[in-house]
Amino acid sequence: MEHFRFYFITLRTTKLTGMWWLLAINTIVSIEGRYENVNIKQDWWETAVFYQIYPRSFMDSDNDGIGDLNGITSRLEYLKELGVDATWLSPIFKSPMHDFGYDVSDYYTIQPEYGSMEDFEQLLKKANELNIKIVLDFVPNHTSNESDWFVKSANRDEYYNDWYVWENGHLDDRGMRRPPNNWISVFRKSAWSYMPTRDQYYLHQFGEAQPDLNFRNPVVVEEIKNIIKFWLEKGVAGLRINSINYLYEADKDLYGGRYPSEPITGKPGLGPDDYGYLDHVYTKDQEETYDMVSQFRDVFDAITIRDNLTRIMMTEAFTSIKNAVKYYGEGIHLGAHIPFNFALIQDLDKESDARDIKYAVDRWLTYKPLKKQANWVVGNHDKSRVASRFRPELVDAFNMLVLLLPGIAITYMGEEIGMLNGFVPWSETKDPLACNTDDPVNFIEVSRDPVRTPFQWSNGKNAGFSTAENTWLPVADGFESLNVASQRSAVRSHYQVYRTLTNLRIRPAFRLGRYESLALNNDVFAFKRWYNDDTYIVVINVGKTYHIVNLTAFDLVFGQLEVEVSNVLSSRTYSDNVQANYLDLAADEALVLRMQV
Ligand code: GLC
Ligand code: MG
Ligand code: CA
């Protein structure tokens, strides 16, 4: 706060002259008035930069070809260098790895190939020293079928009997055993698997090895809360809650004691094994979910209050925008601090133009409760990388969006250097979603392996990720030139742009400032961020041709602007001047400009 005041005083006295002084002073007073009660003192997470690490692919310390915790610890300085405040790690708990940790067999133990509890404590300690917060991924919807809980439940152990979603099947006309209803798993085929020990089916909304827990059993809920507590007390800064919108299925008591089948969507080209074949009205986004999230939140808040250090909840739900923003909570029923915003993933593709970007961004900001923090996600371990989903030329532009739009920035590892999807042939495919297609040609359309290939540190063996003979997934082609080491030593690179952006976003205009956007034409998206008299314009040409644009289309933007950041292919560099009313932008050019007053 003190720091910001000082900053503005120097700015005001050095840069304002004559009439503008008066005009600007008025604006300052009114805007500052408005911000007085708002979070001028921000909590650590409110405008933080989060960096997602997929531990299996980040850094291998013991040369078994699999990334691990000591590997992460050894590279925390890299995160610091990037200007990252926090990292969230994909699952590290004990797992048979059918879905690479999203199938947990013991929530209180670290997966041995990733390290030990001591290794984890060491990671926390080092992160603490560097002031980097650690957030862990937590998967409450389902466990592994190798979990003790499931094994006991499958054997009708009295205590665990009702921990999973068990249901009788039925015999069809030909005397064949059939599942309880038509529900389909996200990973394709029936969501029900038969368990001979119980002569019943269990529900798995994801893979067969991932049985769904029964959230209508209060004992299960209690245990889930204990796990949250356990990890928060260990010192993690928060948890990302996986697949939150699958927690509940319809209450079968409301349907005569049987889970109702789901209606067919009628979407062309889909068969009864495909997830999209059904409209998931009974297995997704059930109303009870929001209350459970608010109960989870109470667990976070209790520890926050006790330690006087905010522990945050991030929630993952691929759903409609109206459902997505419900995760913020309502009134006294608080929800997640950070409900992931997938607008830049769900609403944009290769064909998207400036109007689509404006629409996607503004739409989220419109639906988001006014006082809550927005967040921006452009990739993760499930979705195609930016350079592949859009094109490599737009890497810096998307990092500008993620890092300079209002709120929290969330980067998937590798996006800072513009990594491309790797190529993983059918013979080496590991992702259960891809394997379940049984289709050596079309698996590529759904496979998530290409975004999980080893992180590219250098042009050395296995891109510097591991010295093993074989890495768990092959390293992507092109790592010899696309890697951290080469971008670090280059004067201009995605890495350098990323660092400049994280550094820039510390300024009040980005942390606290207001936002306005325009599609200046079909190709050029621009937004303005300002706080008091400090004004920035981010302008991005997503088109394939050159354009001349007029930035005075924005209110109170005029005169000259100075280049703060330019993308790697721009011919402009830091401190170049441009005219607000006449800016020529090359194809794919992206700039962050600061108004000169
Ligand atoms: C989440 C994870 C994904 C996983 C799925 C099932 O969507 O991000 O990787 O496969 O949940 O647990
Ligand atoms: Mg290893
Ligand atoms: Ca469930």
Side-chain angles (χ1 to χ4, degrees), residues 99 102 142 187 206 240 242-243 316 381-382 448 452:
D99 191 19
Y102 288 98
H142 44 269
F187 289 176
F206 294 88
R240 170 222 188 232
N242 186 68
S243 297
E316 182 219 20
H381 64 294
D382 295 328
R448 299 172 297 177
R452 300 173 177 178

Side-chain angles (χ1 to χ4, degrees), residues 476-540:
D477 286 347
F479 75 88
E480 296 85 350
S481 53
L482 202 173
N483 59 64
V484 169
S486 72
Q487 294 198 15
R488 206 191 240 145
S489 57
V491 178
R492 291 178 74 106
S493 65
H494 300 310
Y495 163 87
Q496 305 292 5
V497 168
Y498 191 92
R499 285 185 62 195
T500 316
L501 292 171
T502 55
N503 202 26
L504 192 66
R505 71 179 260 122
I506 293 168
R507 296 186 192 172
F510 296 106
R511 288 187 56 178
L512 308 164
R514 304 195 63 188
Y515 162 85
E516 195 181 308
S517 69
L518 286 171
L520 293 168
N521 58 44
N522 292 0
D523 286 339
V524 181
F525 173 68
F527 63 94
K528 172 179 163 188
R529 297 295 314 272
W530 75 101
Y531 187 82
N532 293 350
D533 58 340
D534 198 16
T535 300
Y536 297 81
I537 302 286
V538 180
V539 57
I540 294 169

Side-chain angles (χ1 to χ4, degrees), residues 47-51 374-376 402-404 407-411 498 505:
T47 52
V49 179
F50 284 78
Y51 185 84
N375 70 83
W376 306 97
V402 169
L403 289 162
L404 301 181
I408 294 150
I410 306 173
T411 292
Y498 191 92
R505 71 179 260 122

Side-chain angles (χ1 to χ4, degrees), residues 249-426:
E249 294 74 37
D251 183 356
K252 67 175 174 180
D253 292 344
L254 301 177
Y255 299 90
R258 291 191 60 112
Y259 291 111
S261 275
E262 290 184 325
I264 291 162
T265 56
K267 282 187 193 151
L270 295 176
D273 280 345
D274 297 316
Y275 189 64
Y277 185 70
L278 298 179
D279 188 5
H280 303 286
V281 289
Y282 299 126
T283 53
K284 257 182 85 178
D285 306 316
Q286 304 294 297
E287 211 41 51
E288 293 96 325
T289 319
Y290 309 103
D291 176 63
M292 188 50 58
V293 169
S294 149
Q295 290 187 40
F296 289 174
R297 173 67 184 255
D298 292 342
V299 182
F300 285 78
D301 286 352
I303 298 180
T304 292
I305 291 163
R306 194 197 65 187
D307 297 354
N308 194 23
L309 172 68
T310 306
R311 310 303 173 93
I312 57 148
M313 171 163 49
M314 306 170 100
T315 49
E316 182 219 20
F318 268 92
T319 183
S320 69
I321 194 157
K322 282 190 178 160
N323 285 334
V325 297
K326 277 197 214 170
Y327 288 96
Y328 279 110
E330 244 180 295
I332 56 161
H333 298 289
L334 293 175
H337 298 78
I338 308 179
F340 281 122
N341 164 15
F342 295 124
L344 301 179
I345 294 177
Q346 282 172 304
D347 302 353
L348 301 179
D349 59 29
K350 265 203 169 72
E351 309 307 319
S352 299
D353 66 19
R355 299 166 301 180
D356 300 312
I357 297 174
K358 175 175 164 59
Y359 198 64
V361 170
D362 292 358
R363 185 160 176 264
W364 176 268
L365 293 173
T366 305
Y367 281 88
K368 175 190 74 66
L370 209 53
K371 296 254 169 85
K372 304 282 185 184
Q373 290 297 111
N375 70 83
W376 306 97
V377 184
V378 78
N380 60 33
H381 64 294
D382 295 328
K383 302 289 166 186
S384 171
R385 288 187 175 280
V386 168
S388 302
R389 186 150 40 98
F390 303 102
R391 52 181 190 276
E393 292 79 3
L394 293 179
V395 164
D396 299 326
F398 274 94
N399 284 332
M400 286 177 188
L401 290 176
V402 169
L403 289 162
L404 301 181
L405 287 171
I408 294 150
I410 306 173
T411 292
Y412 178 51
M413 65 181 212
E415 292 298 343
E416 74 280 18
I417 56 168
M419 273 176 67
L420 286 146
N421 291 349
F423 174 68
V424 183
W426 175 248

Side-chain angles (χ1 to χ4, degrees), residues 141 205 212-213 246-249:
N141 177 65
Q205 294 231 44
D212 274 52
L213 282 164
Y246 293 89
L247 282 194
Y248 283 94
E249 294 74 37

